[in-house]
Amino acid sequence: KLLGMPQTPRQILRASPEETPRDANPANVGLELFGYVGIEAVLDQMRIKTMKTGFEFNLMVVGQSGLGKSTMVNTLFKSKVSQKPTGPDYEERIPKTVQLQSVTHVIEEKGVKMKLTVTDTPGFGDQINNENCWDPIIKYINEQYEKYLREEILISRKRKIPDTRVHSCVYFVPPTGHWLRPLDLEFMRRLSKIVNVVPVIAKADTLTLEERAEFKKRIQKDLKAHGISVYPQEDFDDNSDDRILNNKIRDKIPFAVVGADKEHQVNGKRVLGRKTKWGIIEVENPAHCEFPLLRDLLIRSHLQDLKDITHNVHYESYRVQRLNESNLLVLSPINGLLGKDEVESNL
Amino acid sequence: MYQNDNCRPLSLSGHVGFDSLPDQLVNKSINQGFCFNILCIGETGIGKSTLIDTLFNTSFDDRVSTHFQPNVRLRAQTYELQESNVRLKLTIVNTVGFGDQINKEDSYQPIVDYIDAQFEAYLQEELKIKRSLYNYHDTRIHVCLYFISPTGHSLKTLDLLTMKNLDSKVNIIPVIAKADTISKTELQKFKIKLMSELVNNGVQIYQFPTDDETISKINATMNGHLPFAVVGSMEEMKVGNKMVKARQYPWGIVQVENENHCDFVKLREMLICTNMEDLREQTHARHYELYRRCKLEEMGFRDTGPENKPVSLQETYEAKRHEFFGELQRKEEEMRQMFVQRVKEKEAILKEAERELQAKFEHLKRLHQEERMKLEEKRKLLEDDMIAFNKRKAATELLQAQAFASTPSVSLKKDKDRKK
């Protein structure tokens, strides 16, 4: 009974409560209410509270220069989020090493405030020798986890810990039409362990529909063969409804996207698109490209899920690793101070 | 890597779609279900269970407690309720035996201990290396309904004492129980008296939040009606042409959901429909954080060192660990010394005992030897006697034989007489 918000397929599927609660305790008694109590009002209370505090979302885009990353981000958020590197001195702009640039904006839609941080990675994959070009990126992601961890273990900690952790890393695959390149595989293999990786086929307007389908199949096979699990990961499906929904998404990964931030007139409507001599590619037309699917995944339906998986899975495994490698904070108030060895034996 | 700290607002030129974020969040919560834990404090028979039944419009545990409990116990029961698509895991904690003892000095302690234990359990989970907070069954108490007796005068000392000890640990909502025993005018005076007593004694009860425009007005009004005078009943009676929950007296019917009769509806509104989420948030962000901070500080952890520079927990931990092990070693050494000492003492005692035993043995041996010698002497004497006797016997027999040979019959008779 949601307040008239547009229902996405995921919401419709979720309308029926799941059969077995997550932590079913047979000792708990299930009781029937004789009449209306007002418990469901807690949903509205929650909604009001979250609207007041606002949301944070941190997106990272990775890919070689010229694949349309900045345009894509601008198209996603329908505003000039990223500055596109254009101009006569563009050649000099390619950095010698991978640098990370973050830009933060506050955007608002229908009363919902969101603090959006987009991290760009110019220089990735642009050198002759690209060995270890993923290291600065991994370092950055881990630094954000570290920041959060330090805030979390303070004695007097903030009510709302600022969240700079990367919630999603969109990886741009060049539209070669053949296979994933060694750089792509190496990068995705390493990063899918610590962050949600969403691979996309960039500049997909150079592929025909058949070529696109073939390319996708090969990429999916490649990913499977190398044991790379991209978002949405199979292991983290909450329930059967989720799995059905996510399987549909997994069939279509990686999305073939085209970015555009100019509007054109098509059939009397103004649409975002790329104008070419042979036609206008409508970015938001599902028949032309899969940009709507990417937008739906990242923003409209799975944004909260991306954040939850980052917090509950990736951050937690970073934390486990950190606490195990240093005696950072290992104590159990009842047993007093324990060394990490003693605690490990208790676990 | 540089960060653009200039967080300027950006305008969107079209519909992006993240306005569905609150819905996404709410959907996740629906999937997980909600937890709500209520603690009811009040004397036996004051109407706690009935009120909770009425609040949630269902029938919880029926058991009636006796008045003869030796001390205050807490009894927690968890129920799963569902309304449309919201699943609520409701835990009701009752104080059994509260106010029944003759000496009520320690009545509040089990309650404080229980609340602390729930915080402790959460803290333990949070500090684990491998933890699973997102599906942790939260047992921390979110609200405490304190039932005040409808005496019409003032708060009891026990009430003040208990509330003072709990106000920094839990959200307290005081209610006047069995409010159908007070008249309207008395009730107004009673409420004013109660609130002023609470304020004078520095008891911090839960204030309904007034920082959000949508609910600030109604919350502010309700804050003025505290404490709520409630009546609980699950029995239905026909009033007019409706069935309502009520209590029937010879002089009239008290309707539970009639706002003119009692504040039950207000309580339900505030507790469930408007502020349930805020109660949960306050418990987590304020009361739990306070507990955590106190607990960690108690163990010696600090955020800033003696020069007021931020000290990493790692350094503190290392220092503490060093200290701890130093202490451990010292204690070990002490114990070792004590052990050696004890062994020495025991050895000495045993040696002494051995010596004594040896002395005794010698003594006995000597005695035995003496006895033997004496016996030997006696035997010698006896043998000598026997030899002497045998000699005499032989001599006498010889004489007899000679005498017999010379005078046979007469001497025989004489011998016989002589022998007699």
Side-chain angles (χ1 to χ4, degrees):
Chain A
K1 286 204 207 147
L2 305 162
L3 294 176
M5 295 280 190
Q7 298 224 330
T8 64
R10 193 173 161 111
Q11 286 170 331
I12 293 171
L13 274 169
R14 282 261 173 85
S16 53
E18 50 175 344
E19 243 59 43
T20 52
R22 210 183 266 238
D23 43 350
N25 182 353
N28 292 348
V29 183
L31 292 177
E32 241 191 72
L33 301 175
F34 298 145
Y36 182 74
V37 175
I39 296 175
E40 61 170 9
V42 74
L43 299 179
D44 284 334
Q45 297 170 29
M46 189 179 257
R47 202 171 276 128
I48 293 173
K49 268 198 187 284
T50 50
M51 301 250 304
K52 216 166 76 132
T53 46
F55 297 86
E56 288 165 310
F57 188 56
N58 308 318
L59 183 69
M60 182 186 269
V61 285
V62 182
Q64 281 171 287
S65 50
L67 281 180
K69 303 191 292 288
S70 311
T71 316
M72 176 55 57
V73 175
N74 291 346
T75 322
L76 267 175
F77 293 100
K78 292 220 167 66
S79 50
K80 280 243 178 319
V81 180
S82 304
Q83 293 283 68
K84 278 189 284 184
T86 52
D89 48 346
Y90 175 54
E91 274 299 319
E92 297 150 31
R93 291 257 190 111
I94 299 183
K96 294 277 184 297
T97 55
V98 178
Q99 294 183 342
L100 288 104
Q101 295 169 359
S102 286
V103 181
T104 308
H105 295 283
V106 172
I107 45 182
E108 183 175 332
E109 196 172 56
K110 293 214 181 99
V112 179
K113 280 196 267 290
M114 182 154 93
K115 189 158 166 240
L116 172 71
T117 304
V118 179
T119 308
D120 200 352
T121 55
F124 178 84
D126 286 336
Q127 273 71 39
I128 304 249
N129 182 358
N130 285 312
E131 244 166 49
N132 300 332
C133 65
W134 46 78
D135 277 345
I137 299 175
I138 295 183
K139 183 158 155 258
Y140 175 80
I141 293 176
N142 284 336
E143 267 169 14
Q144 308 317 305
Y145 288 146
E146 183 67 26
K147 236 192 247 177
Y148 193 89
L149 180 63
R150 293 227 170 244
E151 288 280 345
E152 200 191 25
I153 59 179
L154 281 179
I155 308 280
S156 305
R157 42 190 196 185
K158 300 195 180 104
R159 198 170 249 236
K160 187 160 165 3
I161 300 177
D163 190 0
T164 53
R165 302 171 292 186
V166 176
H167 300 131
S168 170
C169 174
V170 181
Y171 185 73
F172 287 72
V173 175
T176 60
H178 299 160
W179 300 90
L180 285 174
R181 303 163 303 157
L183 176 63
D184 304 329
L185 284 169
E186 271 305 309
F187 178 84
M188 283 202 273
R189 190 172 61 83
R190 284 154 201 273
L191 258 78
S192 57
K193 294 197 186 114
I194 59 172
V195 74
N196 298 320
V197 174
V198 180
V200 295
I201 301 174
K203 297 204 162 166
D205 50 339
T206 57
L207 296 169
T208 65
L209 290 179
E210 294 84 21
E211 284 169 348
R212 184 204 288 179
E214 274 298 312
F215 190 26
K216 271 201 210 186
K217 265 211 209 78
R218 286 195 211 117
I219 292 180
Q220 283 172 4
K221 237 169 59 183
D222 249 347
L223 290 175
K224 210 174 204 149
H226 286 83
I228 303 173
S229 79
V230 297
Y231 184 82
Q233 298 94 332
E234 272 182 351
D235 299 329
F236 309 137
D237 285 336
D238 287 340
N239 49 38
S240 46
D241 289 342
D242 258 359
R243 185 159 299 127
I244 297 172
L245 204 68
N246 287 344
N247 276 340
K248 289 204 191 101
I249 297 173
R250 283 188 276 264
D251 275 341
K252 298 218 176 70
I253 294 260
F255 296 133
V257 294
V258 177
D261 48 6
K262 289 202 181 60
E263 285 190 339
H264 303 275
Q265 198 88 351
V266 172
N267 291 342
K269 283 198 303 176
R270 291 198 64 78
V271 289
L272 278 176
R274 279 172 67 77
K275 190 164 179 190
T276 63
K277 292 245 162 50
W278 44 94
I280 294 180
I281 305 159
E282 292 164 48
V283 163
E284 281 173 324
N285 187 338
H288 288 197
C289 80
E290 291 177 328
F291 169 79
L293 290 177
L294 178 69
R295 180 198 53 207
D296 286 348
L297 180 76
L298 280 183
I299 301 174
R300 292 190 185 172
S301 58
H302 283 68
L303 202 156
Q304 189 58 43
D305 191 49
L306 283 164
K307 291 175 61 169
D308 284 344
I309 302 232
T310 307
H311 181 66
N312 293 331
V313 178
H314 297 300
Y315 169 70
E316 286 295 317
S317 45
Y318 175 80
R319 182 177 172 275
V320 169
Q321 191 199 338
R322 272 296 269 142
L323 295 186
N324 273 334
E325 74 188 24
S326 81
N327 291 324
L328 192 61
L329 174 60
V330 173
L331 57 82
S332 162
I334 281 188
N335 297 327
L337 284 174
L338 298 177
K340 68 171 168 89
D341 320 290
E342 290 137 27
V343 172
E344 270 175 29
S345 63
N346 280 348
L347 289 173
Chain B
M1 181 223 99
Y2 68 86
Q3 188 133 358
N4 183 357
D5 272 333
N6 185 12
C7 228
R8 66 178 212 279
L10 209 57
S11 57
L12 308 171
S13 61
H15 177 69
V16 175
F18 61 87
D19 55 339
S20 66
L21 262 177
D23 289 325
Q24 291 182 35
L25 190 63
V26 164
N27 277 338
K28 283 239 166 222
S29 302
I30 291 178
N31 243 357
Q32 278 184 317
F34 293 86
C35 251
F36 197 55
N37 307 320
I38 304 179
L39 169 66
C40 294
I41 305 183
E43 298 169 357
T44 312
I46 206 170
K48 304 186 287 284
S49 309
T50 315
L51 184 69
I52 298 289
D53 280 355
T54 323
L55 263 177
F56 288 96
N57 219 343
T58 181
S59 183
F60 293 113
D61 188 3
D62 272 318
R63 281 182 289 163
V64 177
S65 332
T66 78
H67 284 269
F68 296 97
Q69 303 283 347
N71 43 31
V72 177
R73 279 187 308 116
L74 282 97
R75 190 171 73 204
Q77 273 152 329
T78 309
Y79 306 93
E80 302 220 351
L81 306 175
Q82 179 152 358
E83 187 172 82
S84 67
N85 57 351
V86 178
R87 278 178 300 120
L88 182 69
K89 213 180 210 144
L90 180 71
T91 302
I92 314 235
V93 185
N94 249 313
T95 50
V96 178
F98 189 75
D100 278 337
Q101 291 79 34
I102 296 184
N103 182 359
K104 298 187 252 238
E105 263 177 0
D106 290 328
S107 290
Y108 70 86
Q109 196 58 48
I111 304 175
V112 169
D113 291 341
Y114 180 84
I115 295 178
D116 277 347
Q118 308 318 306
F119 283 147
E120 186 64 35
Y122 191 89
L123 182 64
Q124 289 248 44
E125 182 66 31
E126 198 187 21
L127 291 175
K128 273 199 196 149
I129 293 191
K130 273 206 175 68
R131 57 190 191 179
S132 54
L133 277 176
Y134 60 88
N135 58 5
Y136 175 78
H137 178 203
D138 191 1
T139 52
R140 299 173 294 181
I141 302 291
H142 298 125
V143 68
C144 167
L145 286 177
Y146 196 94
F147 288 73
I148 299 174
S149 287
T151 57
H153 300 317
S154 61
L155 277 177
K156 297 194 184 155
T157 327
L158 175 64
D159 295 340
L160 264 176
L161 185 64
T162 311
M163 281 203 268
K164 197 94 183 76
N165 275 293
L166 292 177
D167 67 351
S168 60
K169 291 187 181 285
V170 72
N171 302 314
I172 301 183
I173 297 184
V175 295
I176 301 172
K178 296 196 168 171
D180 50 350
T181 54
I182 317 184
S183 73
K184 223 176 171 103
T185 36
E186 282 176 350
L187 187 63
Q188 254 327 92
K189 278 198 266 181
F190 190 32
K191 280 194 186 183
I192 294 174
K193 187 89 202 316
L194 287 176
M195 288 309 281
S196 71
E197 274 197 326
L198 288 174
V199 165
N200 289 341
N201 284 284
V203 175
Q204 305 245 1
I205 57 171
Y206 177 72
Q207 294 291 321
F208 303 119
T210 49
D211 48 358
D212 180 61
E213 312 86 42
T214 42
I215 51 174
S216 66
K217 225 163 100 194
I218 185 169
N219 274 348
T221 327
M222 292 297 182
N223 275 328
H225 284 270
L226 282 173
F228 293 132
V230 293
V231 175
S233 171
M234 285 301 280
E235 289 170 4
E236 299 216 327
M237 251 139 255
K238 200 173 178 78
V239 172
N241 54 358
K242 281 198 305 173
M243 292 297 284
V244 294
K245 292 213 238 330
R247 285 175 64 78
Q248 180 160 55
Y249 293 102
W251 48 88
I253 296 181
V254 179
Q255 294 162 40
V256 167
E257 281 166 327
N258 184 336
E259 296 219 39
N260 285 330
H261 289 196
C262 74
D263 295 330
F264 173 80
V265 174
K266 295 194 179 76
L267 176 67
R268 188 175 59 196
E269 258 297 309
M270 286 290 103
L271 186 66
I272 301 174
C273 306
T274 315
N275 297 304
M276 196 194 279
E277 186 60 28
D278 186 66
L279 284 164
R280 281 156 39 104
E281 193 189 298
Q282 293 284 347
T283 306
H284 179 70
R286 203 150 60 94
H287 300 296
Y288 169 71
E289 285 295 314
L290 181 65
Y291 176 83
R292 177 180 176 272
R293 189 163 56 233
C294 291
K295 198 57 198 270
L296 292 181
E297 276 177 0
E298 203 180 278
M299 304 189 62
F301 287 94
R302 296 271 179 277
D303 280 338
T304 56
E307 300 98 39
N308 261 351
K309 282 202 299 245
V311 167
S312 78
L313 265 138
Q314 176 164 6
E315 288 168 24
T316 317
Y317 176 78
E318 290 290 327
K320 271 245 142 185
R321 199 194 172 129
H322 199 70
E323 191 188 312
F324 178 68
F325 276 123
E327 179 83 20
L328 199 70
Q329 273 185 335
R330 201 178 52 78
K331 280 222 172 99
E332 257 182 48
E333 192 57 41
E334 221 177 272
M335 280 176 77
R336 200 176 301 131
Q337 298 271 19
M338 204 184 300
F339 180 70
V340 168
Q341 179 81 350
R342 286 245 180 93
V343 167
K344 277 206 180 108
E345 280 174 22
K346 205 67 192 242
E347 249 180 35
I349 292 174
L350 283 175
K351 264 212 174 79
E352 183 65 40
E354 203 182 317
R355 246 192 314 232
E356 266 179 43
L357 227 65
Q358 190 76 359
K360 234 186 190 162
F361 178 66
E362 299 281 317
H363 181 68
L364 279 175
K365 205 160 146 193
R366 248 178 308 159
L367 279 176
H368 183 246
Q369 284 225 354
E370 279 174 21
E371 284 283 325
R372 223 166 165 198
M373 275 195 322
K374 277 195 193 146
L375 230 66
E376 278 291 320
E377 277 178 24
K378 274 206 179 136
R379 202 173 83 179
K380 244 209 178 112
L381 278 173
L382 198 65
E383 271 187 22
D384 287 344
D385 268 350
M386 268 172 68
I387 291 174
F389 178 72
N390 279 336
K391 270 197 188 142
R392 269 212 309 265
K393 189 171 167 195
T396 331
E397 278 180 353
L398 198 64
L399 274 172
Q400 255 184 15
Q402 283 176 349
F404 187 63
S406 52
T407 51
S409 53
V410 178
S411 36
L412 259 164
K413 196 175 174 207
K414 278 189 188 158
D415 278 335
K416 276 188 189 160
D417 289 336
R418 222 186 301 140
K419 275 186 186 156
K420 281 182 189 154

